[in-house]
Amino acid sequence: MSPSDYPVRNAHDRRQRRLLIVLALGFVVFGAAAATLFYVLQPETLRIAVGPAGSDDHQVVQAMAEAFEEESRMVKLSPITTEGAAESMALLGAGKADLAIGRGDLGMPADAQTLAVLRKNYVVLWSPSGRPGKDSKKKATRRIGEIADLAGRKVGIIGRTGVNLALLRTILVGSGVEPDKVATVQFGTEDIEKLAQDATLDAYLAVGPLDSRITAAAIAATSRSRGAPKFLPVEASEAIALKNARYEAEEIPGSVFNARPAWPEDKVDTISVNHLILARKELSEAKAAAFYRQLFAVRDSIAQRVAGAAHITKPETEKEAEPSVHRGAAAVINGTERTFLDKYSDYFWFALLLLSGIGSAAAWLRRYLNRDDRDDTTSHRNRILAVVSELCNAGSEQDILTSQQEVDAIIGETLKCYDDGAIEQGDLAAFGLVLELFDHAVAERRATLQSDPADQAKSPGPTLASRR
């Protein structure tokens, strides 16, 4: 291998190294893009606290999680079973759950907001009419026809939590009755028959949806043991709702609990409280909106699994409510959800700036990787200039041809570097000027030698330099 071959081989090795570097960077960029895309397309998993196990709420959430798993590519649910709504609220407040199920009048975190209404719970108050013959032996007592008559009486409350007791006290205060003058006793949902057989009770209270199996069973049981129910209207329902934002004034339709006989005979004023799907305010708008859209997209599928899911409705956004509606759900309901460009326009600008920076960095990296080739180009130009100087001492045509062969090798290597992008147009133009100088030097030296026939030598063939 001649000495002139070493620069060519070194340049070839450098090009291979550059190619490997470019390929490695390409794989890194592709891998990062693939990993980012995989992360972005992963379904968002939201933890939802609900309890107790086996309750209607728990069954609805389980069906919801199954429907999301089957039909959603954006949101999935991970149920957390708790002892009850109070524990669910505690987990939500502690950030250990993203969502929670609870009644609107429960104690909850200050930043809790509504995503959807799971169901509407109606307050049902009734008193027994008494059985003829059985009650005639007892001392006659004044019948209970309205809430004001509850003073000095005893009310059986279905549900052992404190919220139903607090709700009754709110109704009593709103109806002008001192709560301390009304005795209360609470029964579990499994103690309906015990409640119905308790002759010391003068009235009953249940809170649940109008198609609640528990409420219907309690009314039927008390009617069998104590006579037909007399439903007590909450005549101050609107005033109570105005003073307590978590309650709403409602009506119980006639015959909703029984058709024959009609229970109740006519519509009855009452108040309601919503059972809610709650989230903390800090839950992102995108996640809340995705959950809301998916919930109502699969609501029919959930209702086919659990009948109670048919009560799921959107929250009211047109009036002030407590807790307030989450901005993500409100944006979907009101049609004000930001578009993709609205959400990510800032990111697009940042991406453009980033791409510009990457382009500049890539250009710098390219120049950095090609620095050896640029140095070779400079050394090649200097070598040609040296050859030009040596031509002055060329004693024969053979010496000229040797110089031309060396320059041919330099030309070939320079053109390869140019094709590979290692050198720029400006460098090639400067290289061309040096070659023109070499051509003039060859022509002048050849003319000088031809003027002296004794120094002429037979040419072995044309070269690249001689053909230009």
Side-chain angles (χ1 to χ4, degrees):
M1 182 181 294
S2 63
S4 61
D5 291 335
Y6 286 109
V8 177
R9 183 171 181 179
N10 290 337
H12 178 71
D13 293 341
R14 285 195 298 271
R15 282 197 299 274
Q16 285 188 327
R17 288 196 299 270
R18 285 200 304 272
L19 179 61
L20 291 175
I21 292 174
V22 171
L23 287 175
L25 290 175
F27 280 121
V28 170
V29 172
F30 176 79
T36 302
L37 185 62
F38 177 79
Y39 176 78
V40 170
L41 295 180
Q42 279 288 93
E44 186 69 38
T45 300
L46 299 177
R47 301 162 298 172
I48 180 167
V50 60
S55 64
D56 291 344
D57 292 348
H58 190 263
Q59 293 176 20
V60 170
V61 169
Q62 288 288 359
M64 192 185 303
E66 292 173 4
F68 276 34
E69 181 71 28
E70 294 171 2
E71 302 185 32
S72 174
R73 295 184 179 180
M74 298 299 296
V75 181
K76 293 187 183 299
L77 293 179
S78 176
I80 302 174
T81 303
T82 64
E83 294 297 325
E87 183 182 351
S88 299
M89 293 297 104
L91 291 179
L92 180 67
K96 296 180 180 179
D98 303 300
L99 311 175
I101 305 296
R103 229 168 75 173
D105 55 350
L106 276 171
M108 58 183 64
D111 60 348
Q113 293 185 324
T114 303
L115 286 180
V117 177
L118 192 63
R119 65 175 180 270
K120 187 181 290 290
N121 293 318
Y122 292 76
V123 175
V124 183
L125 270 167
W126 75 97
S127 63
S129 59
R131 283 187 173 279
K134 192 172 185 179
D135 291 343
S136 61
K137 299 179 181 179
K138 298 181 180 180
K139 184 178 179 180
T141 57
R142 186 165 53 91
R143 294 289 178 87
I144 298 175
E146 58 183 13
I147 293 179
D149 297 334
L150 292 177
R153 304 298 182 92
K154 188 176 182 180
V155 178
I157 301 173
I158 301 175
R160 296 190 181 279
T161 62
V163 287
N164 283 356
L165 177 58
L167 181 52
L168 174 61
R169 295 177 68 88
T170 299
I171 294 173
L172 293 173
V173 171
S175 302
V177 178
E178 288 290 336
D180 294 337
K181 293 182 178 181
V182 179
T184 59
V185 58
Q186 293 181 266
F187 295 83
T189 55
E190 70 281 1
D191 297 327
I192 297 300
E193 287 299 327
K194 183 178 178 181
L195 171 139
Q197 298 299 324
D198 190 340
T200 65
L201 299 178
D202 301 297
Y204 312 94
L205 178 141
V207 182
L210 292 178
D211 61 352
S212 168
R213 292 178 287 105
I214 297 173
T215 302
I219 295 173
T222 57
S223 69
R224 288 192 301 268
S225 61
R226 304 287 304 280
K230 167 63 179 178
F231 292 91
L232 309 180
V234 184
E235 296 177 353
S237 58
E238 292 186 0
I240 293 173
L242 286 174
K243 295 178 181 179
N244 300 272
R246 298 190 179 188
Y247 302 133
E248 297 178 10
E250 296 286 351
E251 289 182 346
I252 300 174
S255 304
V256 70
F257 300 118
N258 196 61
R260 291 185 179 181
W263 296 343
E265 295 180 356
D266 198 359
K267 61 183 181 181
V268 178
D269 290 331
T270 188
I271 61 173
S272 68
V273 57
N274 287 329
H275 218 73
L276 305 171
I277 302 177
L278 298 161
R280 294 182 67 184
K281 184 177 181 180
E282 64 185 27
L283 184 70
S284 71
E285 180 179 339
K287 292 180 182 179
F291 170 83
Y292 181 88
R293 285 195 304 269
Q294 189 58 40
L295 173 62
F296 285 90
V298 301
R299 182 178 58 176
D300 292 341
S301 175
I302 302 171
Q304 291 175 4
R305 305 167 193 241
V306 181
H311 297 296
I312 298 174
T313 58
K314 66 180 182 180
E316 293 288 342
T317 59
E318 297 178 356
K319 62 181 181 180
E320 293 185 5
E322 188 180 344
S324 60
V325 180
H326 193 284
R327 64 189 184 282
V332 179
I333 295 169
N334 298 330
T336 58
E337 187 178 9
R338 293 185 298 168
T339 65
F340 182 82
L341 290 177
D342 292 334
K343 291 180 182 178
Y344 301 107
S345 58
D346 292 341
Y347 294 102
F348 286 147
W349 286 112
F350 176 76
L352 289 176
L353 292 175
L354 182 62
L355 288 175
S356 176
I358 292 175
S360 299
W364 175 86
L365 180 61
R366 178 183 173 186
R367 291 185 62 82
Y368 177 78
L369 293 175
N370 294 334
R371 67 190 186 283
D372 293 334
D373 289 326
R374 291 196 302 274
D375 293 341
D376 287 344
T377 302
T378 302
S379 63
H380 289 161
R381 290 203 307 266
N382 293 336
R383 177 56 189 160
I384 294 174
L385 290 173
V387 171
V388 170
S389 300
E390 293 172 0
L391 281 174
C392 298
N393 300 322
S396 64
E397 182 68 20
Q398 184 61 42
D399 294 338
I400 295 176
L401 291 175
T402 300
S403 298
Q404 287 179 319
Q405 289 173 351
E406 183 178 354
V407 172
D408 284 346
I410 294 175
I411 293 172
E413 176 61 25
T414 302
L415 291 176
K416 287 182 180 179
C417 292
Y418 176 75
D419 292 338
D420 293 341
I423 60 176
E424 299 177 358
Q425 185 71 34
D427 296 327
L428 195 63
F431 191 80
L433 293 176
V434 176
L435 289 180
E436 289 181 9
L437 180 62
F438 174 75
D439 287 341
H440 288 302
V442 168
E444 290 177 0
R445 188 56 185 166
R446 182 168 283 135
T448 300
L449 292 177
Q450 289 177 353
S451 65
D452 186 0
D455 293 333
Q456 293 181 17
K458 187 175 181 179
S459 173
T463 65
L464 288 174
S466 63
R467 286 197 296 269
R468 281 198 321 279

